[in-house]
Amino acid sequence: MGPISDIDRQLFARVAASRLRGAHPLLPRLSRAADHGKLWFGAAAVLGTVGGRTARRAALRGVGSLAAASLASNLVVKWTVERRRPVMDAVPLVRRLRRQPWTSSFPSGHSASAAAFATGVAIESSRYGTLVAPLAAAVAASRVYVGVHYPSDVVAGVALGAGAAALTCRWWPPRPEVPAQARPRVSAPAMPKGEGLVVVVNHGAGNGAAAGGFTDAEQLQLLLPAAEILECGPDDDFIALLGQAARRATERAGALGICGGDGSVNAAAALAAERGLPLAVFPGGTLDHFALDIGVPNFEDTAHAVTEGDAVAVDLARATPLARGDGGDGGDGTSHFVNTFSLGFYPELVRIRESMQGRLGKWPAAAVALGRVLRTATPMKIEVNGHPRRLWVLFVGNGGYSPEGFAPAYREQLDDGLLDVRAIDGDQPLARTRLLFSALTGTLGRSRVYTTRRMRQLRLTGLHALDTRAYDGEVAAEPAEALLIDKRPGALTVYRPAQPQNELLQRARTAAAKAKWWRAVLRK
């Protein structure tokens, strides 16, 4: 530590003697603002409010990374490596903090938090990371400038914070900034201002009101003023309204639009593929897996694609009762899914969650349901491609999910013609305990309890004891004792921008349009 300490003291003395133009009073104020993470919590709030879905995801990872770095820095490293703070005789009084820290100088907790937040944001979005990085660098530099840390303390803090942010990817895989691959479809009509588009807004799907006090329907009308908007309330027949919208879109040679969660998108996708209509997906649910994979995380993305006529062809998966169509011809009784199909304790988890979420809210109800299912569930006995199996859960994805060896998070291709089949083996001893341990330690890919395969079709028989299945997160009661699961390659045309859009510019344009609308209302 001798040579390092000497270099530290020399660099610290140079900084103390320096007179950086514009640095005072900015750096001392930044250093105080970052106390207890206040600056970063404020930045996260701004991102979540001003930005779209990508910004909210980036803010959430940033805050999570900050929490991990703070715990490691303040509760572990500082108490392990005790180092005295620098002697501040050479630091001008005007630059010093009002309250001097008393904990170990190594590492810099402020630098760790700053680097963790900035790296976490950058992992989810390079654009937002570029905005946050200069602020994080200024906070880290301020700790030497105000005289409370040596340069090596700051460097160690930055390394610790960046490492903590990178470690979050082990349990929470980041979503790629580019959407999943799919074949371009040039036959989708361009509809300036939404002319010919008929959109069903399912108010029971998840989000009630968009940002700025506008409902989803009002925001759609603002973005696509010529589109026809049909709103579905809690007491309305969603399927009947969807059929009405499809008929109107067919008559106009236009397109069908859906604003809702994955369950709503599922119903609209099956109908659009049946009638040969392009589908415009406006994410209005809680998770919106399909919208994120296809590359339309915000209303503005879909509106831009509809206006320009940019669309892609994606696979549509189906589950056909063998008794009604042994060849899987898509006749009566066939159910479709755009994301996932599952058997086992997941449908039971959804059923329990839905029974309680009116009282507890969705996420608390999901946590209670998960605990109850893990405690009481028993393995199911079925035949998979003719082989008897005892499974806790069978998951089938419409396309290969990533990352492999982890819980399915996102897809990199939507027209690969493959099913992603994952199962939790019920024959393994202590399967649930081992599965939970593997998930917590990030070693699920090496667990013998968890198996994955990719195939073009899947035959499930012996389902007489399983009368519920989950399609895209929605539970359906079905009596079929055997199912053929396969794909309809390129059966669905979905609007998405030819190039990923800049979320910041999109939000700015939408905010300007809303301001213009309010001014017009006030003039009246």
Side-chain angles (χ1 to χ4, degrees), residues 249-275:
T250 303
E251 293 169 357
R252 301 175 184 182
L256 177 63
I258 182 66
C259 176
D262 288 310
S264 302
V265 173
N266 178 321
L271 190 56
E274 176 187 335
R275 293 177 175 259

Side-chain angles (χ1 to χ4, degrees), residues 53 191 197-200 220 223-224 255-270 272 277-285 288-306 310-312 314 338-339 492-497:
R53 188 183 294 267
M191 296 177 287
L197 177 67
V198 184
V199 186
V200 175
L220 286 173
L223 293 170
L224 299 168
L256 177 63
I258 182 66
C259 176
D262 288 310
S264 302
V265 173
N266 178 321
L277 290 169
L279 182 67
V281 177
F282 297 91
D288 297 314
H289 291 295
F290 184 74
L292 293 179
D293 285 342
I294 199 68
V296 288
N298 304 298
F299 284 13
E300 293 87 349
D301 296 289
T302 311
H304 177 81
V306 166
D310 297 328
V312 293
V314 304
V338 294
N339 296 323
L492 181 64
T493 299
V494 186
Y495 283 102
R496 85 161 180 203

Side-chain angles (χ1 to χ4, degrees), residues 91 109 126 139 262 347 418 441 453 498:
V91 179
S126 58
V139 169
D262 288 310
L418 297 175
T441 56
R453 297 286 188 276

Side-chain angles (χ1 to χ4, degrees), residues 338-358:
V338 294
N339 296 323
T340 62
F341 163 89
S342 62
L343 292 172
F345 65 61
Y346 179 76
E348 179 64 12
L349 185 152
V350 173
R351 187 189 65 79
I352 296 174
R353 184 203 70 198
E354 289 179 344
S355 68
M356 296 187 298
Q357 71 181 36

Side-chain angles (χ1 to χ4, degrees), residues 314-481:
V314 304
D315 295 346
L316 186 61
R318 61 185 174 183
T320 305
L322 291 177
R324 300 187 182 182
D326 197 29
D329 56 6
D332 291 341
T334 297
S335 297
H336 293 83
F337 57 98
V338 294
N339 296 323
T340 62
F341 163 89
S342 62
L343 292 172
F345 65 61
Y346 179 76
E348 179 64 12
L349 185 152
V350 173
R351 187 189 65 79
I352 296 174
R353 184 203 70 198
E354 289 179 344
S355 68
M356 296 187 298
Q357 71 181 36
R359 303 189 309 272
L360 303 179
K362 185 167 185 175
W363 294 115
V368 174
L370 178 61
R372 185 179 299 179
V373 167
L374 288 176
R375 187 177 68 253
T376 62
T378 56
M380 59 183 176
K381 296 180 180 180
I382 62 174
E383 290 186 1
V384 181
N385 287 340
H387 300 286
R389 298 289 302 272
R390 290 181 74 247
L391 302 174
W392 289 100
V393 171
L394 177 69
F395 165 94
V396 183
N398 177 21
Y401 273 80
S402 295
E404 294 187 16
F406 200 86
Y410 57 86
R411 286 164 288 185
E412 297 179 345
Q413 189 171 352
L414 294 171
D415 60 349
D416 58 7
L418 297 175
L419 299 170
D420 189 334
V421 183
R422 307 188 183 200
I424 300 175
D425 195 343
D427 287 326
Q428 296 286 338
L430 300 174
R432 284 176 291 186
T433 303
R434 292 165 63 183
L435 178 71
L436 183 61
F437 176 79
S438 298
L440 292 175
T441 56
T443 58
L444 195 60
R446 297 192 293 273
S447 175
R448 294 184 179 181
V449 175
Y450 186 72
T451 59
T452 66
R453 297 286 188 276
R454 292 189 179 178
M455 54 189 69
R456 295 196 176 274
Q457 67 175 25
L458 182 70
R459 288 176 179 265
L460 304 176
T461 55
L463 305 179
H464 52 274
L466 303 170
D467 59 353
T468 58
R469 298 93 200 254
Y471 296 91
D472 294 328
E474 299 289 334
V475 175
E478 293 181 344
E481 296 186 6

